[in-house]
Amino acid sequence: MIKMVMALRHGRLPRTLHVDEPSSHVDWSAGAVELLTGEQDWPETGRPRRAGVSSFGISGTNAHVIIEEGPRQDAAAPGADPDVVVPLVLSARGGGALRAQAGRVHDFLVERPETPITDVGYSLTRRGLFENRAVVVARDRAGLLAALADFAAGGDAPDVVKGVASSGGSGDVVFVFPGQGTQWVGMAAELLESSPVFASRMAEC
């Protein structure tokens, strides 16, 4: 599977491994099936490339998998902020220190407009957690800067969720950082439309 995923990525078919000569149990003269004795380009045809994988090692006996390349996406410009909500996690010892940190993050973003807010958000999750915490959320960079500035100045911006570890926090918003790295935006959208069981469980949650 990994080999075929890489073949899809690079548009090139790898040669057949561990085969000295074609099997005599297959009629190679019929159809267009052949062993690849060397690497071969996998040309664009206007349709998604697909690869069939037959294996005894995938979830039981004789499992078969069809892999299809996904739609091509244009890479975002370097430094561009994605159209997603990015949480900035703040943590400090004391309310004053928490607001001071918000001010430092605000100044950092203003002085470095080329730095993606996703990078800043990730870096903040790697810091140690202290008693006083806050999460700043906004749809875009301007919203984040406004919320950070307001919170640093002593305000209570609606885009800032505050909590104190010893009291269990406050508010009705929960941010979960599972650390698995396998999630992507919209990954459940198709399941919501195609699976009534999944949709009902999501609605229940």
Side-chain angles (χ1 to χ4, degrees), residues 69-120:
E69 68 176 339
R72 296 191 178 277
Q73 298 178 344
D74 295 331
D81 291 326
D83 185 23
V84 296
V85 175
V86 178
L88 299 184
V89 182
L90 308 176
S91 177
R93 292 190 176 97
L98 191 65
R99 292 184 184 274
Q101 189 191 28
R104 289 193 297 273
V105 173
H106 172 274
D107 294 344
F108 179 89
L109 289 172
V110 170
E111 294 168 2
R112 299 169 178 81
E114 75 285 353
T115 302
I117 55 177
T118 49
D119 290 356
V120 177

Side-chain angles (χ1 to χ4, degrees), residues 102-171:
R104 289 193 297 273
V105 173
H106 172 274
D107 294 344
F108 179 89
L109 289 172
V110 170
E111 294 168 2
R112 299 169 178 81
E114 75 285 353
T115 302
I117 55 177
T118 49
D119 290 356
V120 177
Y122 173 79
S123 297
L124 288 172
T125 64
R126 316 313 293 175
R127 299 180 73 250
L129 288 177
F130 299 109
E131 294 80 11
N132 293 80
R133 304 169 190 174
V135 178
V136 185
V137 291
R139 171 61 68 178
D140 53 32
R141 195 182 196 92
L144 279 174
L145 290 174
L148 286 166
D150 182 78
F151 182 59
D156 288 313
D159 292 330
V160 179
V161 180
K162 300 183 295 296
V164 180
S166 60
S167 66
S170 61

Side-chain angles (χ1 to χ4, degrees), residues 164-186:
V164 180
S166 60
S167 66
S170 61
D172 57 359
V173 179
V174 177
F175 293 92
V176 179
F177 301 95
Q180 298 299 316
T182 57
Q183 298 80 20
W184 62 90
V185 176

